[in-house]
Amino acid sequence: MPRRCWEKALMASPLFCTLGLLAIIVLTLVNACVGRPFYPLPSKQDVENRQPIQTFRPYNIAHRGSNGELPEETAAAYMRAIEEGADFIETDILATKDGALICFHDVYLDDVTNVIHHKEFADRKRTYEVQGSNTTGFFTVDFTLEEIKTLRVNQRYKFRDQSYNGKFPIITFEEYIAIALDAPRIVGIYPEIKNPVFINEHVKWAGGKRFEDKFIETLQKYGYKGEYMSKDWLSQPIFIQSFAPTSLIYVSNLTDSPKIFLIDDVNVPTQDTNQSYSEITSDAYFNYIKQYVVGIGPWKDTVVPPMENHLTTATDLVAKAHAHDLQVHPYTYRNEFMFLHFNFRQDPYVEYDYWINKIGIDGLFTDFTGSLHNFQDWTSHSSKNKKSEV
Amino acid sequence: MASSFPCSLCFLLIIVLTLLGGCFAKLLYPLPSKKNEKNRKPLQTSRPYNIAHRGSNGEFPEETSAAYTRAIEEGADFIEADVLATKDGALICFHDVTLDDITDVATHKEFADRKRTYELQGSNTTGFFTVDFTLKEIQTLRVKQRFSFRDQTYNGMYPIITFDEYISIALDATRVVGIYPEIKNPVFINQHVKWADGKRFEDKVIETLLRYGYKGSYMSKDWLQQPIFIQSFAPSSLVYISNLTNSPKVLLIDDVTVPTQDTNQSYLEITSDSYFGFIKDFVVGIGPWKETIVATKGNHLAAATDLVAKAHAHNLQVHPYTYRNEHEYLHVDFHQDPYAEYDYWVNKIGIDGLFTDFTGSLHKFQEWTSPSNKDEKSASELLSKIEALISSSHH
């Protein structure tokens, strides 16, 4: 009986029917919109609930992401690094022709992208002077962001997994930051102001802004601020790194985020001030630069020089740095045997043990953040026990 | 000057006393190998065996005393060796039947005329064969690191050692260390070397072991004091020695294309369920090439075979070979991390022992993820676990 009434009502009025349908649609839409705040996006999650960054042992810095497994500086490499336990994900920032900031290590695209397969860019090859020597290739500063986004990244080393070649694009500085902020625990970023002399020569920004200005602007847009170990810093950890001391000094006026001074091999002068290794690792220089940076990032073979693939005596670089309250974050630790001195008997964990426990450094740039994480996790138990033995 | 006689007597007395003192002193300070064995830390049996394949040959030239001493230092449960024979029937620790690859025999002009071509496991091989050199001659040679990408600084420093010397290294260790000798190329050796009284190669190997007191079935009191596994690729050798010793034996299994050297049986046959049913009366386990357990496709791991399950169903242990740290030996799934490989084999595949060139790395992995002296540390470990739980809950 009731059904018949309903049917009667429907047949009686098509308007009623339409109104009903409309109501259903509207309610569904409203529900969809209203429903969202109940399930916030990961990047909007309550930051206080996230596992904080560890600060009781040397920092595990995923150098270019987990590039031992995936092509360097891609979203996949960074996400994998976070999965594997990295404290910081590291990147190099360069610029495109139209001033966009991208995560990429080389000034030219030839070595790790498929740019040579893109016939539409065949005429972009150039020869420029980079840090004193002429270099030929396809330079990032000659491509717009849109064009760069059509390229795909390859694994740099032949002896690493090639099966992800051609799958991932180059990401922007902002995309990289989003990956860190969206992580389910607090993950720090470690961006480098890369080749600033070269970039500033080739790319111009509006308002007379320099590369360093745009770099800091991006960081501030995402709320990166605060001195080392401040509350702000702990909720969004960051180290800004560069080989160019003037860039670091310049950005000191723009941000109080902690900075790291990178130091190249013994025969390489600084690209901006043309100072030698001897000079920038002298006691006097440390005394000067410590006003601007919280630490140094040296090439590890300059800290303990090898001879015929065996370690010789360690230099006093670490002691000197520590005397000036400067942290030491050497680069780069790799698992493959040709990167391991014989003292470590082809065991990357023995290398980590040596640097962390014998040399006593404060952070490590590693291509294999998972291995370092394993080492620290498995051995920090024993060190924790020692600390708790009152 | 008055009399030289008392002077000589005096002198003689001093000599005699020194000799006596020397003898007495020896008695008062026993040699390490004669120390009270009960005080030595026992072999761990709670986790897969760490078998130092040819000693720590990742660091030192293989099968030298240095390689074995280092392996013991690094925590090996067993030190592994291949046993071959010399022309005069001495037993030596050496892997290849030819001396060319890892000794300096080519620089010894006095041996230039010893080069020969023999048939070895079905194919002709040319070189300087151990069976054409006496022990004394072999001991003039020096060993070098087999792989060019490993440390070359010890090349030319160490000689080849005898089976006896190898056993002494194990027995002299400050903790209980097992031996894992292989009856190597027995078909070839028995063809070229003859012993008195019609003894065979296998007889001489077992004789040596018995002389040093190796006896007892797996996990017996005798075995735990002097642990041993006897390994061979030749099933008939293992069956033969079963009549001579109750020490546990392991059947080595080569790649899928290689038949057994003595019985010419295929891989398929000797890994079949029925064969396991037969061989388990003679061996306690198998030692397969690890690539035959888990198939690979383009340097990625593919599906595991059922070899381990089959073996375990017959109560046979599985000790695969060989684990190496260098990235070219690691499948990409392990991202160039030898500890990731150990983790996979120990925890996912569930094997019972590992032949490794890097016994130190395996030992670290095992110690860090499953420490051996659980009884001693269990109380403090529990406390630290509770502490970790409490501190993590604060976040």
Side-chain angles (χ1 to χ4, degrees):
Chain A
M1 282 296 188
R3 209 201 285 167
R4 261 218 242 139
C5 287
W6 175 72
E7 280 176 350
K8 260 191 185 169
L10 255 177
M11 291 192 308
S13 173
L15 179 69
F16 192 72
C17 186
T18 323
L19 267 176
L21 195 66
L22 205 66
I24 289 165
I25 292 169
V26 171
L27 280 170
T28 313
L29 283 170
V30 169
N31 195 34
C33 293
V34 170
R36 249 179 140 195
F38 291 104
Y39 303 99
L41 291 172
S43 49
K44 296 181 175 25
Q45 257 165 9
D46 184 5
V47 166
E48 271 146 33
N49 287 339
R50 294 198 298 173
Q51 185 192 320
I53 188 173
Q54 72 77 20
T55 52
F56 67 90
R57 62 191 191 205
Y59 294 121
N60 181 343
I61 309 156
H63 181 244
R64 305 188 208 170
S66 288
N67 83 91
E69 306 174 45
L70 295 151
E72 60 188 58
E73 311 214 12
T74 56
Y78 288 127
M79 284 160 68
R80 180 78 181 125
I82 292 171
E83 228 173 52
E84 290 188 298
D87 296 325
F88 288 82
I89 50 174
E90 189 259 0
T91 194
D92 307 273
I93 301 298
L94 288 172
T96 64
K97 184 175 182 180
D98 46 349
L101 301 183
I102 53 169
C103 295
F104 200 72
H105 179 269
D106 307 339
V107 280
Y108 48 81
L109 300 154
D110 304 51
D111 284 354
V112 294
T113 75
N114 59 355
V115 66
I116 53 168
H117 295 143
H118 283 251
K119 296 199 162 51
E120 68 274 27
F121 300 139
D123 62 336
R124 301 282 181 99
K125 205 164 196 167
R126 298 284 180 275
T127 303
Y128 293 134
E129 192 187 307
V130 184
Q131 271 175 257
S133 61
N134 280 339
T135 310
T136 303
F138 296 90
F139 288 84
T140 68
V141 295
D142 290 333
F143 290 73
T144 63
L145 178 62
E146 210 188 319
E147 289 169 335
I148 278 195
K149 280 288 193 183
T150 64
L151 306 176
R152 292 293 175 265
V153 186
N154 298 327
Q155 169 55 251
R156 182 184 291 274
Y157 297 109
K158 283 188 300 296
F159 45 79
R160 290 185 181 170
D161 194 356
Q162 301 294 311
S163 54
Y164 300 102
N165 289 358
K167 294 202 172 155
F168 306 115
I170 295 173
I171 61 174
T172 63
F173 192 12
E174 299 202 25
E175 287 165 339
Y176 160 81
I177 289 170
I179 291 170
L181 294 178
D182 277 1
R185 56 181 176 88
I186 293 184
V187 173
I189 59 171
Y190 210 130
E192 178 180 343
I193 304 172
K194 192 93 186 158
N195 288 104
V197 174
F198 179 83
I199 297 292
N200 280 320
E201 272 170 19
H202 290 263
V203 185
K204 305 294 170 201
W205 283 271
K209 299 262 185 195
R210 282 168 56 168
F211 180 39
E212 294 88 336
D213 294 310
K214 306 306 287 179
F215 185 95
I216 300 301
E217 249 177 52
T218 311
L219 291 174
Q220 286 169 338
K221 179 175 167 190
Y222 286 90
Y224 282 93
K225 61 183 187 291
E227 284 177 358
Y228 181 61
M229 289 299 224
S230 63
K231 189 162 174 287
D232 282 331
W233 186 85
L234 287 164
S235 67
Q236 277 184 221
I238 175 172
F239 288 104
I240 300 168
Q241 48 168 336
S242 191
F243 281 97
T246 57
S247 298
L248 293 171
I249 293 166
Y250 180 86
V251 304
S252 295
N253 292 324
L254 307 172
T255 175
D256 54 357
S257 291
K259 303 151 201 75
I260 296 282
F261 178 42
L262 297 171
I263 304 175
D264 211 325
D265 211 343
V266 296
N267 48 13
V268 182
T270 54
Q271 55 183 270
D272 51 349
T273 59
N274 200 34
Q275 284 167 298
S276 71
Y277 177 88
S278 283
E279 199 181 332
I280 60 173
T281 57
S282 66
D283 200 60
Y285 192 81
F286 280 178
N287 201 34
Y288 158 70
I289 203 70
K290 73 183 184 192
Q291 303 164 67
Y292 304 100
V293 303
V294 300
I296 57 167
W299 164 222
K300 65 177 162 81
D301 277 354
T302 63
V303 181
V304 186
M307 172 113 96
E308 281 172 23
N309 208 20
H310 283 91
L311 297 173
T312 62
T313 320
T315 64
D316 64 350
L317 187 64
V318 175
K320 234 193 299 187
H322 283 169
H324 287 282
D325 227 354
L326 290 167
Q327 299 195 27
V328 182
H329 299 173
Y331 60 91
T332 307
Y333 297 87
R334 300 180 167 100
N335 282 6
E336 291 93 353
F337 70 84
M338 50 277 200
F339 299 116
L340 296 166
H341 302 308
F342 284 129
N343 313 60
F344 305 130
R345 37 207 199 260
Q346 289 90 301
D347 186 340
Y349 291 61
V350 176
E351 186 181 40
Y352 290 139
D353 190 24
Y354 174 82
W355 284 92
I356 290 172
N357 296 315
K358 279 242 157 49
I359 302 293
I361 48 173
D362 313 285
L364 299 86
F365 289 94
T366 173
D367 280 359
F368 291 89
T369 193
S371 303
L372 177 54
H373 183 73
N374 278 347
F375 171 76
Q376 289 187 304
D377 245 13
W378 292 340
T379 57
S380 71
H381 247 307
S382 37
S383 57
K384 255 184 166 166
N385 279 342
K386 282 178 192 156
K387 283 182 190 169
S388 62
E389 273 165 9
V390 178
Chain B
M1 285 194 298
S3 172
S4 59
F5 190 63
C7 192
S8 331
L9 259 179
C10 208
F11 200 53
L12 204 67
L13 202 62
I14 290 166
I15 292 170
V16 172
L17 280 170
T18 313
L19 283 170
L20 275 173
C23 293
F24 274 126
K26 254 185 146 172
L27 286 169
L28 290 166
Y29 301 100
L31 290 173
S33 48
K34 295 177 178 24
K35 271 206 285 243
N36 185 356
E37 274 171 7
K38 290 201 184 92
N39 289 338
R40 293 201 300 175
K41 184 168 157 210
L43 176 82
Q44 73 77 21
T45 52
S46 62
R47 62 193 192 204
Y49 295 121
N50 181 342
I51 308 156
H53 181 244
R54 305 186 207 170
S56 287
N57 82 92
E59 305 173 48
F60 287 95
E62 61 189 59
E63 310 212 15
T64 56
S65 57
Y68 289 126
T69 309
R70 180 78 181 125
I72 293 171
E73 226 173 53
E74 290 189 297
D77 296 325
F78 288 82
I79 50 174
E80 189 258 359
D82 306 273
V83 184
L84 288 172
T86 66
K87 185 175 180 180
D88 47 348
L91 301 182
I92 52 168
C93 293
F94 200 71
H95 178 270
D96 307 339
V97 281
T98 55
L99 299 154
D100 304 50
D101 284 352
I102 62 164
T103 75
D104 59 355
V105 67
T107 64
H108 283 249
K109 296 201 164 50
E110 68 275 28
F111 300 140
D113 63 337
R114 301 283 182 98
K115 207 163 198 167
R116 298 284 180 275
T117 302
Y118 294 135
E119 191 189 310
L120 180 65
Q121 270 175 258
S123 60
N124 280 338
T125 309
T126 302
F128 296 91
F129 288 81
T130 68
V131 295
D132 291 333
F133 290 73
T134 63
L135 177 63
K136 205 163 154 203
E137 289 169 336
I138 278 195
Q139 284 174 328
T140 64
L141 305 177
R142 292 294 174 265
V143 186
K144 57 185 182 196
Q145 170 55 250
R146 180 185 292 275
F147 297 109
S148 55
F149 45 79
R150 290 184 182 172
D151 196 348
Q152 303 294 312
T153 51
Y154 303 104
N155 290 358
M157 285 190 184
Y158 303 109
I160 295 173
I161 61 174
T162 63
F163 191 23
D164 285 56
E165 286 165 340
Y166 159 79
I167 290 170
S168 309
I169 292 171
L171 294 176
D172 277 359
T174 52
R175 56 182 176 87
V176 174
V177 173
I179 59 171
Y180 210 130
E182 178 181 343
I183 302 173
K184 191 91 188 160
N185 288 106
V187 174
F188 180 83
I189 296 293
N190 281 320
Q191 274 170 355
H192 290 261
V193 185
K194 304 294 170 204
W195 282 269
D197 307 329
K199 299 264 184 193
R200 283 167 55 168
F201 180 39
E202 294 88 336
D203 294 311
K204 306 307 284 181
V205 172
I206 301 307
E207 246 177 53
T208 313
L209 291 174
L210 292 172
R211 184 153 32 94
Y212 284 92
Y214 282 92
K215 62 184 188 288
S217 58
Y218 180 62
M219 288 299 225
S220 64
K221 190 162 173 284
D222 283 331
W223 186 85
L224 285 164
Q225 253 179 19
Q226 278 183 219
I228 175 172
F229 288 103
I230 304 170
Q231 47 169 335
S232 191
F233 281 99
S236 62
S237 297
L238 295 171
V239 170
Y240 178 83
I241 62 171
S242 295
N243 294 322
L244 307 173
T245 175
N246 57 357
S247 291
K249 303 152 200 75
V250 172
L251 173 66
L252 297 171
I253 303 176
D254 211 325
D255 210 345
V256 297
T257 53
V258 182
T260 55
Q261 55 183 269
D262 52 347
T263 60
N264 201 33
Q265 284 165 300
S266 69
Y267 175 88
L268 264 171
E269 198 181 334
I270 61 172
T271 56
S272 66
D273 200 59
S274 55
Y275 191 81
F276 281 179
F278 155 70
I279 203 70
K280 73 180 183 196
D281 290 340
F282 304 98
V283 302
V284 300
I286 57 167
W289 166 222
K290 65 176 163 79
E291 304 290 307
T292 63
I293 299 176
V294 184
T296 58
K297 200 172 180 184
N299 205 20
H300 285 263
L301 295 171
T305 65
D306 65 350
L307 187 63
V308 175
K310 233 191 301 184
H312 283 170
H314 286 281
N315 223 23
L316 290 167
Q317 299 194 27
V318 182
H319 300 173
Y321 60 93
T322 309
Y323 297 88
R324 299 181 167 101
N325 283 6
E326 288 92 356
H327 65 267
E328 350 162 81
Y329 297 114
L330 297 165
H331 300 304
V332 288
D333 314 68
F334 303 129
H335 30 273
Q336 291 90 302
D337 186 342
Y339 291 60
E341 186 182 40
Y342 290 140
D343 189 28
Y344 174 82
W345 284 93
V346 168
N347 295 316
K348 278 239 158 49
I349 301 293
I351 49 173
D352 313 286
L354 299 87
F355 289 94
T356 173
D357 281 359
F358 291 89
T359 193
S361 303
L362 177 55
H363 184 71
K364 283 191 154 64
F365 171 76
Q366 291 187 305
E367 278 295 300
W368 290 340
T369 58
S370 61
S372 58
N373 25 6
K374 281 183 173 162
D375 299 320
E376 286 174 23
K377 286 186 182 170
S378 59
S380 59
E381 262 180 9
L382 192 60
L383 275 171
S384 66
K385 274 184 188 153
I386 293 171
E387 178 207 38
L389 275 169
I390 294 171
S391 59
S392 67
S393 72
H394 279 159
H395 292 141

